[in-house]
Amino acid sequence: MSDAATPELRKHLLKYTKKNDWLAAASYFGTFAVFFPSLWLALSLFDRSVWLSLPFIVVSAFAGVRLYVLMHDCGHHSLFSTKRANDVAGYVLSPFAMTPYRSMQYNHNMHHAYLGNLDHRETTEIYTMTLREWNEAGFWKRLYYRLYRNPFVLIPVGAIWTYFFAYRWPVNTTKIGVVSVLVHNVLFAAWIFAIWSVFGWQGFWLFLGISALAGMIGVFLVYLQHNFEDTYWDRKPELDFRRATLQGSSCLNLGHWWDIGTGNIAYHDIHHFMPSIPSYRLRKCHFDLPPELEMPRIEWPEAIRSFRLKLWDEEHERLVPFPKERSAAAVPAE
């Protein structure tokens, strides 16, 4: 999209920033109304039949993803019409989303502020090396990065590490407030204890499995939101923040049911360009774009292929796979 089209895009998007507390409440309480019964049925039916329990496991996991997305909206003060309502809602969501609200808000706002900045990759959810850094790296650093960027490690291990361990003491905790993180952890422990009290150890482990599945869906989305072939990275002073928001963030068109299950967070280019748009308006906002403002969409085949891309090639300005290892040249016979 050209710079000249940006004011028209902004004008179009502004229409969708208006908050509707009725829609927000329906999304908020409706998600809880799906999460709690589906979790109860998943845990209750598992003894009787794994297959009978399976649909409720999946529904509960997606509802857990929605809870996180709603908390993310609250962090931007984009769900309800007032700052206080958003903050209260965010704190209530926090133990069920397994993430301290204030630390999520602070760290995620840092991610927005430094999006696409190669000199501040510590603020990204998924770390990306450049091709030059890869070529200069030693064996152990390459091995670590290969494992880290392998989707069969990144998605399950990343989800478990992030939601069960890293978020018990998130980055910048001492800067944001230790007390809020400690209170969150106590409430989270109380929630897990309540599940164990009702459903025993089987219910406890099954709940952790459902939470891990929700986390894996989240990591899958987080990867694809900024890791695709034509994404954007640069260094200051050349860094173009408009390009970082629109080109460096993806629009994942993975189907209407996927959007319902994940709170429309897949329309990430629009979200980064204008974070004040509530999640319940993101999908409509995207599909209402006039033809001259339409943005590229990534569908399932390209989304899966994107997991092959590992390194940012600064020279060609694109995400690329690992380079093929050069075989040693044959030694000529004397």
Side-chain angles (χ1 to χ4, degrees):
M1 182 180 295
S2 67
D3 290 344
T6 303
E8 287 302 312
L9 176 64
R10 186 177 298 278
K11 182 179 177 182
H12 172 83
L13 298 184
L14 279 171
K15 296 183 293 185
Y16 295 87
T17 60
K18 187 176 181 181
K19 314 301 184 291
N20 183 314
D21 286 340
W22 288 104
L23 286 177
S27 183
Y28 186 84
F29 293 108
T31 302
F32 275 120
V34 172
F35 177 69
F36 287 126
S38 62
L39 180 62
W40 178 278
L41 287 166
L43 301 181
S44 300
L45 294 173
F46 192 78
D47 255 345
R48 190 179 308 173
S49 168
V50 174
W51 293 108
L52 198 59
S53 176
L54 187 59
F56 299 105
I57 289 173
V58 173
V59 170
S60 179
F62 272 100
V65 174
R66 275 189 64 96
L67 292 177
Y68 185 93
V69 171
L70 291 172
M71 187 177 69
H72 156 269
D73 262 23
C74 293
H76 285 295
H77 297 144
S78 64
L79 187 65
F80 292 98
S81 59
T82 68
K83 179 179 180 294
R84 179 176 174 78
N86 280 296
D87 285 340
V88 170
Y91 279 119
V92 172
L93 284 161
S94 177
F96 306 107
M98 303 173 61
T99 310
Y101 172 63
R102 281 299 183 202
S103 64
M104 180 283 303
Q105 183 183 49
Y106 180 88
N107 292 327
H108 187 68
N109 286 338
M110 291 285 286
H111 165 65
H112 273 254
Y114 291 107
L115 181 66
N117 190 332
L118 283 170
D119 295 320
H120 281 282
R121 279 169 282 168
E122 76 281 359
T123 64
T124 60
E125 285 92 347
I126 306 292
Y127 182 75
T128 301
M129 282 180 71
T130 66
L131 181 58
R132 177 183 57 81
E133 290 167 344
W134 172 263
N135 289 332
E136 294 172 355
F139 172 80
W140 292 109
K141 190 171 184 179
R142 286 189 180 187
L143 177 61
Y144 169 80
Y145 189 72
R146 276 190 181 275
L147 290 171
Y148 172 76
R149 293 287 292 213
N150 185 315
F152 297 104
V153 175
L154 177 69
I155 293 176
V157 176
I160 292 168
W161 167 252
T162 299
Y163 290 97
F164 293 123
F165 299 99
Y167 282 175
R168 295 318 102 228
W169 193 264
V171 175
N172 295 315
T173 288
T174 54
K175 185 182 296 184
I176 301 153
V178 171
V179 173
S180 66
V181 172
L182 293 176
V183 170
H184 162 83
N185 286 335
V186 169
L187 293 173
F188 178 53
W191 167 231
I192 292 180
F193 178 77
I195 290 171
W196 172 80
S197 299
V198 176
F199 297 102
W201 285 109
Q202 179 177 277
F204 169 83
W205 290 112
L206 182 56
F207 169 74
L208 294 188
I210 292 169
S211 301
L213 176 58
M216 286 188 276
I217 296 167
V219 173
F220 174 83
L221 282 167
V222 163
Y223 180 92
L224 291 171
Q225 283 164 358
H226 301 289
N227 289 266
F228 53 98
E229 188 172 12
D230 295 319
T231 190
Y232 173 82
W233 290 87
D234 211 338
R235 301 180 193 273
K236 287 187 173 181
E238 289 78 16
L239 179 67
D240 182 338
F241 190 70
R242 183 199 67 86
R243 282 188 67 191
T245 57
L246 293 174
Q247 184 181 331
S249 306
S250 64
C251 168
L252 302 172
N253 185 28
L254 304 181
H256 199 184
W257 283 106
W258 181 271
D259 293 340
I260 291 171
T262 57
N264 298 321
I265 199 61
Y267 302 97
H268 215 60
D269 46 3
I270 288 174
H271 166 68
H272 266 278
F273 188 73
M274 196 164 286
S276 56
I277 298 175
S279 56
Y280 48 81
R281 296 200 192 280
L282 274 175
R283 178 183 169 86
K284 180 172 175 54
C285 176
H286 177 84
F287 283 99
D288 280 353
L289 286 168
E292 66 272 16
L293 296 178
E294 281 186 358
M295 291 180 279
R297 300 168 186 163
I298 293 175
E299 300 191 352
W300 278 105
E302 185 182 350
I304 299 303
R305 287 197 302 271
S306 293
F307 282 94
R308 296 176 51 252
L309 306 174
K310 314 291 185 178
L311 304 162
W312 176 250
D313 185 337
E314 293 183 78
E315 181 181 353
H316 296 98
E317 297 187 345
R318 64 198 310 110
L319 208 62
V320 297
F322 288 122
K324 293 181 179 178
E325 300 292 341
R326 296 176 183 173
S327 57
V331 179
E334 293 184 359

